[in-house]
Amino acid sequence: MSIQQLHSLEDLHQYVEQPGKKLLFKHSTTCPISAKANQEFEAFLKDTDTTAAIVLVIEDRPVSTQIAEDFGIKHESPQIFLLEDAEVRWNASHWKITQDAIRAAVNS
């Protein structure tokens, strides 16, 4: 399991443009809800070869802001996106981020 951390807008755009399904997780390192969501995200990734990336919303705020602008989806954290062909196919936030929810989205 390797999760790519996106630090720059260039990182973000390169990641989004990759072909295939991939996950993008916005994580707040100061939020207990986000910590729980991150555990669910990492647990899901242990059993899959799904491509995944993380943005730390406080440390890399410009990247986090750009995600909201690019996809037209209001910023929340934690927040997860399933991307395919540079488009959002599914997203969830807060307590809705669970291994089962992620698995269902990826497999749909």
Side-chain angles (χ1 to χ4, degrees):
M1 165 183 90
S2 78
I3 302 172
Q4 181 185 349
Q5 192 171 336
L6 307 180
H7 294 289
S8 70
L9 299 181
E10 188 178 330
D11 289 350
L12 173 64
H13 292 133
Q14 284 178 348
Y15 182 73
V16 170
E17 293 303 321
Q18 290 173 25
K21 286 184 180 179
K22 55 202 157 297
L23 292 167
L24 178 57
F25 180 63
K26 290 167 72 168
H27 179 40
S28 170
T29 50
T30 60
C31 169
I33 299 172
S34 198
K36 176 69 176 129
N38 191 45
Q39 287 176 347
E40 294 282 327
F41 176 59
E42 290 182 357
F44 167 77
L45 291 172
K46 280 188 183 122
D47 303 323
T48 181
D49 57 0
T50 305
T51 304
I54 190 167
V55 173
L56 302 181
V57 297
I58 296 168
E59 294 80 353
D60 294 308
R61 189 167 302 283
V63 182
S64 174
T65 303
Q66 192 64 47
I67 291 167
E69 287 180 17
D70 285 356
F71 300 133
I73 295 171
K74 179 171 131 354
H75 165 76
E76 299 189 66
S77 73
Q79 191 171 38
I80 192 166
F81 303 90
L82 175 66
L83 306 174
E84 189 173 16
D85 303 326
E87 291 186 8
V88 176
R89 302 291 184 209
W90 171 81
N91 72 91
S93 67
H94 296 87
W95 299 112
K96 294 188 178 117
I97 301 173
T98 65
Q99 284 182 70
D100 290 344
I102 299 166
R103 185 174 300 107
V106 169
N107 292 334
S108 70

